[in-house]
Amino acid sequence: MILNRYERMIAKRYLLPGKGEGEKFIFLVSTISLGAVALGVAALIIVMSVMNGFRAELFEKTAGLNGHAIIVGYDGRLENWREIADQARKVPGVTSALPLVEQPLMASSNGRVEGVYFRGTRVEDIRSNAVLTGGVKSGSMANLTEGCNCVAIGTGLARALGTYPGGEISLISPEGRSTAIGTVPRIVSYTVAATFEIGVYDLDNAYVLAPMGEAQNFLMLGDAVGMVEVKVQEPDKIDEQMPALERIAAARGQATDWRKMNSAIFEALEVERVAMFVVLSLIILVAVFNILSSLIMLVRAKTRDIAILRTMGASRKGMMKVFVTVGTTIGTLGLLLGLALGAIFLFFRQPIVDAIQWLTGQNLWDPSVRFLSELPSKTDPVEVAVIVIIAFVLSFLSTLYPAWKAASTDPVQVLRYE
């Protein structure tokens, strides 16, 4: 929308505070409208970025340990896992197929007992896993070698058991040796070689990691494994690989993808994400009504000025452009301010959360409830563009009625009573 010189001058005058009390009040209302748009845009960007970050972080951590799909034997054993892994690697889109052993057990140390997930994987796979190697807090994953009689444990589990690298941990399996009086649980002590933190509360408080040979010996699996973990190039398109993986698993086990393994939490996140977008969009809508009300008051206050301009030759179209420009400018300035506020908050999100926790004395981000140890964030440019477009379009639409009223002003009727 192109304005000529006098239209720009008038729009500029109406945007700035006048000398009268009424004009100052209208300017105050316009400023509040600008701030409301900014808060609405910032809130939408912050919440959507945090929700996206939560999903991405949770997916990255869980997929880093569990893969995008798994092939599990019907009885919890895969004897011919090498053949299965080789066939899985040949499926288009599959990047890796790794053998795993995983079993829920009990662990004890220093008189304390905790439930754990005991996982065995090949030494080379441990060292190539960025989630594990990047989360080492003490000790070293290099100490995990076949025959070392050692394990790595999560930091939360280490605190719960009171043990650290160099200490001892005993694993207890109910599937032990048979005797005349029944089955005796199998108990084996291991040295803690390292502690790691994945960033997912449940995993950090339960995982015990061991070389494949150690796990197979403890669980008496021989050369068998529990499952084959599969990773693909595009996890969101895992449906393309699942039919082939199901054919490979046929008669020997079953194939499950990451969505079924974590269906409850990811579906809940998606529903909450959509609901939050709709609810927070109402903030922008409320702000737009503020712009509408401020423009209506401005039109009422400037009725005499509009009539004079009309008698001097100003067109209806020109008057519409002036008030559309005023309202759209308020909305655009609020939009830009909202983008800046959102970016600042997201950049300093963790210090802000820590400061609020310190001031209130409340734990706002309890990892045991929210799974992750820190507030995540991932901004989607497409979502930001949608938010910007929604805010701009609503701001523009809110200007049409006041602009039409201003353009419809009859100078004869107005000036007759002046």
Side-chain angles (χ1 to χ4, degrees):
M1 184 168 55
I2 301 174
L3 277 70
N4 59 35
R5 186 176 179 182
Y6 91 87
E7 290 168 350
R8 286 196 301 272
M9 180 188 69
I10 296 171
K12 183 178 179 181
R13 286 193 54 145
Y14 287 174
L15 280 169
L16 298 175
K19 295 181 180 180
E21 289 297 324
E23 292 179 342
K24 290 180 180 179
F25 178 75
I26 294 172
F27 178 76
L28 175 62
V29 174
S30 300
T31 303
I32 293 172
S33 303
L34 186 152
V37 172
L39 290 176
V41 170
L44 257 179
I45 291 175
I46 292 168
V47 171
M48 298 308 295
S49 296
V50 169
M51 294 294 293
N52 289 336
F54 195 93
R55 182 185 184 278
E57 193 79 5
L58 191 61
F59 177 78
E60 180 185 350
K61 303 298 186 182
T62 54
L65 282 183
N66 301 320
H68 304 133
I70 57 171
I71 299 174
V72 186
Y74 285 124
D75 58 352
R77 298 169 66 100
L78 287 175
E79 301 286 351
N80 54 341
W81 62 268
R82 289 181 178 83
E83 177 188 348
I84 294 174
D86 289 339
Q87 292 177 1
R89 292 189 193 99
K90 295 176 183 177
V91 176
V94 172
T95 58
S96 67
L98 310 175
L100 289 178
V101 173
E102 189 169 276
Q103 185 73 31
L105 301 173
M106 298 297 292
S108 68
S109 181
N110 300 315
R112 307 175 190 178
V113 180
E114 294 288 337
V116 299
Y117 283 107
F118 181 52
R119 166 172 286 207
T121 185
R122 296 180 302 186
V123 172
E124 59 268 28
D125 296 335
I126 294 174
R127 294 176 183 173
S128 63
N129 191 312
V131 174
L132 292 173
T133 56
V136 175
K137 294 301 179 181
S138 58
S140 173
M141 288 292 185
N143 296 330
L144 286 180
T145 58
E146 292 292 353
C148 69
N149 195 49
C150 58
V151 294
I153 63 176
T155 52
L157 181 60
R159 287 191 294 269
L161 294 176
T163 186
Y164 297 93
E168 295 288 326
I169 180 175
S170 296
L171 295 181
I172 308 167
S173 172
E175 297 181 5
R177 65 182 186 276
S178 298
T179 66
I181 59 173
T183 301
V184 177
R186 182 174 172 80
I187 304 175
V188 178
S189 294
Y190 293 94
T191 301
V192 177
T195 63
F196 57 87
E197 185 174 289
I198 298 169
V200 179
Y201 180 84
D202 289 350
L203 301 183
D204 291 334
N205 282 267
Y207 260 88
V208 175
L209 186 66
M212 179 66 76
E214 300 281 354
Q216 288 173 325
N217 290 336
F218 178 75
L219 297 174
M220 297 180 293
L221 292 174
D223 188 48
V225 300
M227 66 188 74
V228 172
E229 171 198 271
V230 178
K231 291 187 178 181
V232 300
Q233 290 177 343
E234 299 184 70
D236 288 328
K237 298 180 180 179
I238 190 69
D239 285 335
E240 297 176 3
Q241 287 80 34
M242 287 308 296
L245 295 177
E246 288 169 355
R247 285 194 298 271
I248 294 170
R252 294 175 289 192
Q254 59 182 355
T256 307
D257 62 39
W258 64 270
R259 291 170 302 185
K260 293 179 182 177
M261 290 187 286
N262 306 281
S263 59
I265 186 167
F266 282 107
E267 287 177 7
L269 283 174
E270 191 62 27
V271 171
E272 186 175 357
R273 180 170 166 270
V274 174
M276 293 300 288
F277 185 88
V278 173
V279 171
L280 290 175
S281 295
L282 297 178
I283 299 178
I284 298 179
L285 188 60
V286 171
V288 164
F289 278 116
N290 285 337
I291 296 176
L292 175 65
S293 61
S294 65
L295 285 179
I296 291 174
M297 287 190 292
L298 182 61
V299 171
R300 295 283 296 175
K302 299 296 183 180
T303 299
R304 184 172 179 276
D305 293 356
I306 294 169
I308 294 173
L309 288 170
R310 289 294 313 282
T311 59
M312 294 174 64
S315 64
R316 291 177 180 270
K317 182 178 179 181
M319 288 294 96
M320 281 200 70
K321 288 196 293 182
V322 167
F323 285 93
V324 168
T325 299
V326 171
T328 305
T329 300
I330 295 172
T332 303
L333 291 175
L335 176 58
L336 295 175
L337 180 59
L339 289 172
L341 289 174
I344 292 171
F345 184 93
L346 291 174
F347 186 79
F348 296 103
R349 62 188 182 279
Q350 197 57 46
I352 290 174
V353 171
D354 295 339
I356 295 174
Q357 289 182 153
W358 180 78
L359 288 172
T360 60
Q362 299 294 321
N363 186 0
L364 302 179
W365 193 259
D366 185 356
S368 63
V369 176
R370 294 176 173 84
F371 298 101
L372 302 179
S373 55
E374 289 189 350
L375 181 66
S377 171
K378 183 181 180 182
T379 303
D380 184 351
V382 174
E383 285 186 349
V384 173
V386 170
I387 293 169
V388 168
I389 291 171
I390 289 175
F392 183 81
V393 170
L394 289 177
S395 298
F396 173 76
L397 292 177
S398 70
T399 66
L400 296 181
Y401 176 73
W404 175 78
K405 288 294 291 182
S408 301
T409 300
D410 185 353
V412 175
Q413 293 294 328
V414 174
L415 297 177
R416 176 182 297 175
Y417 300 104
E418 290 293 331

